[in-house]
Amino acid sequence: DTGVSQNPRHKITKRGQNVTFRCDPISEHNRLYWYRQTLGQGPEFLTYFQNEAQLEKSRLLSDRFSAERPKGSFSTLEIQRTEQGDSAMYLCYLQASRAGPTDTQYFGPGTRLTVL
Amino acid sequence: AQTVTQSQPEMSVQEAETVTLSCTYDTSESDYYLFWYKQPPSRQMILVIRQEAYKQQNATENRFSVNFQKAAKSFSLKISDSQLGDAAMYFCAYRSAGFGRDDKIIFGKGTRLHILP
């Protein structure tokens, strides 16, 4: 794994509980994205940050979801009152610059959430 | 809104043979980037190859090459000399190159590639 770590790697929780995931870039990347991936599907965009500013949120991101990137480095994604439909892999994606396709980019290993 | 379509949920190829994965996309933009990502089972997503829309020349990375047809909005991935380690889910993806706020990567649903020994 290079570029980014995510913790925890696996999380099992009961419906109604709150969970928080963390994404830690290994090196500086000004853009940080959160994606959600359900089994057999492609990743779906949730939100992204330019440094510490949250620039866009998908309509998939209900009021139960909140994300932060307080110092422009690591980011957290919190889900309140989890539902079974929240079960998915949550991926962190980093991009060093917006200069083009040659910019460095990394996907994290993901956090797999299971809501019972 | 941009969309990415992968019409082949699964494909199989004999080891050492060549396979082509299809991808079409829809956009009204003229400047954008296209990507193919590989996601091995229970492993991290990695970038395989990328293409800038303004370049006519197809991108190539070792055994991986693309056939980019801008007018047809088609972006297929060719894997030559398939190896067992190529077995994975492959995602086609799109990203705008404009300077607006719509800067996310949009993924297709993926094609699962099986390599037959």
Side-chain angles (χ1 to χ4, degrees), chain A residues 55-105:
Chain A
L55 294 188
E56 187 177 348
K57 291 192 286 187
S58 163
R59 62 178 183 277
L60 292 175
L61 214 66
S62 75
D63 291 344
R64 298 183 298 105
F65 288 70
S66 62
E68 294 183 341
R69 196 183 185 198
K71 296 183 180 178
S73 57
F74 74 92
S75 176
T76 58
L77 177 68
E78 181 184 15
I79 309 174
Q80 296 182 327
R81 304 181 304 281
T82 52
E83 301 173 355
Q84 288 182 324
D86 297 332
S87 295
M89 178 76 86
Y90 289 84
L91 297 169
C92 180
Y93 167 76
L94 301 174
Q95 189 179 312
S97 77
R98 212 202 166 290
T102 57
D103 51 9
T104 57
Q105 51 170 292

Side-chain angles (χ1 to χ4, degrees), chain A residues 1 31 55 98 101 105 107, chain B residues 37 44 50 98 101 103 105:
Chain A
D1 295 359
R31 291 206 163 195
L55 294 188
R98 212 202 166 290
Q105 51 170 292
F107 270 97
Chain B
Y37 287 89
Q44 205 159 332
R50 51 191 160 200
R101 293 165 65 94
D103 202 26
I105 296 182

Side-chain angles (χ1 to χ4, degrees), chain B residues 4 23 33-37 91-95 105-108:
Chain B
V4 177
C23 173
Y33 308 118
L34 295 165
F35 307 89
W36 278 98
Y37 287 89
F91 294 99
C92 179
Y94 170 103
R95 194 186 98 196
I105 296 182
I106 299 167
F107 290 85

